Amino acid sequence: MCARRRPDVDSRSTVTRRQVLIGGIAAATTGTLAACTSARPSNSPGSAASSSQTSAAQPATMTFTPPRGSTGVDPLGRVSVSVANGTLASVAMTNTEGKTVIGVLTPDRMSWKPTEPLGFGKTYSLTATSRDTTGRQTTDTTSFTTVEPRTQTMVSLTTTGGTPITAGGTYGIGIVVVAHFDEPISDRTAAQRRLSVRTTPPVPGQWMWVDDQNAHWRPERYYTPGTRVEIAASVYGVALGDGLYGQEDTATTFQIGPAHVAIADDNTKQVTVYDNGKLVRTMPTSMGMGGTETINGQTLSFWTQRGIYTVLDKSNPVIMDSSTYGLPINSRLGYRETIYYATRISNDGIYLHQLESSIWAQGNTNTSHGCLNLNPANAQWFYDFSQPGDIVEVRNTGGDPLTQAQNGDWSVPWTTWQQGSAL
């Protein structure tokens, strides 16, 4: 990903996590108040005392953070003006384009700070006017420049199938959330500190890094139906290693639907389906025929691998093409077919789907390349019943077990999962 300049967030109308409204004071510049004095003849008894008080008053002293002329400033770092021996009469901050940065004064008017995040690679000017105890005013101006990232990274919140999490959507009890970074992350610890999950009711869970760009989050056990889940990646402005910075925050919420669990047992060649613990359907199936074949140096497996899958998505119809995983269409076992009521459960193309030509084998013989074949009525029923994140467990098949990369997050023991955290 090439280096990108994030649009200056000062001009955005959306509210960021750092925008704070304090006591209704939101203007960056406050009006200057005129000192109140009374006219008095120079020879009046009080004139000498007044002159003495003026000469003895301590001047107001302003402190700017960051220091004047600073470069490479963190856009999320502290920016402020404070005053000693006086108050702040007005503060104005502008960016490179002259746009005002909104800020807030403390109630005692002794400190000011911006209430919106700053942009990358921008020069900001800060002009402040102080007033000492006698009403005498002093104005000073400073400037600084924020860091220019080598490059930036966006975060997408998706399912393990790569589909974006739908805000307000409903998912199954086994849904796994993926925080996908579009650039490799060298500082996983910094990145993970900015990833958060909040559930109602509380659910123990953990992030696991599967590679330099993907962190998966799941609970220790399946969710309880009705749980509300809030996911956030608050990465804007965060240094993630090797000159890489977060480009933008993202967040989403969803809820957990009914507990759907399907168990495909190769000993019986049946798929039993449960809805909130109640058996609602039993479906004869024909699973992977077993064995392997090596084509062009690649070994292909025809087992339905045992393990715990989740529903990823579904299509009606879907074109199934064996050449997409290395099996030529014109080879002995090759195919290209239009398949109906296909519910996908793995990243390498295992579906529960309709296949009328194998009805004779369903319930007694495994004939497929790895999918779970169903008759039309069962395939349509399961398609309509399923939601992303539903559990599908395959038992007692041969070959290698399901891997995490294939959509086997729930096949990873919890102690192993915890070891994948960067914190």
Side-chain angles (χ1 to χ4, degrees), residues 21-22 44 54 92 99 107 138 148 150 194 196 213 215 257 260 270 272 302 313-314 320 322 348 379-380 385 405:
L21 298 179
I22 301 178
S44 66
T54 300
K99 295 178 181 177
T138 302
E148 182 72 66
R150 173 183 61 82
R194 308 302 296 184
S196 64
Q213 291 183 250
H260 293 171
Q270 303 288 325
T272 52
F302 300 109
D313 51 43
K314 48 191 180 179
M320 293 194 176
S322 64
D348 56 350
Q380 182 174 354
F385 176 79

Side-chain angles (χ1 to χ4, degrees), residues 32 62 64 87-92 127-131 137-140:
T32 301
M62 291 185 289
F64 294 87
T87 58
L88 292 171
S90 66
V91 180
T127 299
T129 298
S130 65
R131 180 185 298 112
Q137 294 187 357
T138 302
T139 298
D140 197 2

Side-chain angles (χ1 to χ4, degrees), residues 113-172:
K113 66 179 180 180
T115 56
E116 57 183 294
L118 307 184
F120 287 116
K122 301 284 187 181
T123 296
Y124 291 88
S125 295
L126 190 55
T127 299
T129 298
S130 65
R131 180 185 298 112
D132 66 17
T133 56
T134 68
R136 185 170 47 196
Q137 294 187 357
T138 302
T139 298
D140 197 2
T141 298
T142 185
S143 66
F144 62 89
T145 302
T146 54
V147 66
E148 182 72 66
R150 173 183 61 82
T151 191
Q152 300 174 50
T153 184
M154 293 281 286
V155 184
S156 302
L157 300 175
T158 74
T159 69
T160 49
T163 304
I165 295 290
T166 300
T170 299
Y171 291 87

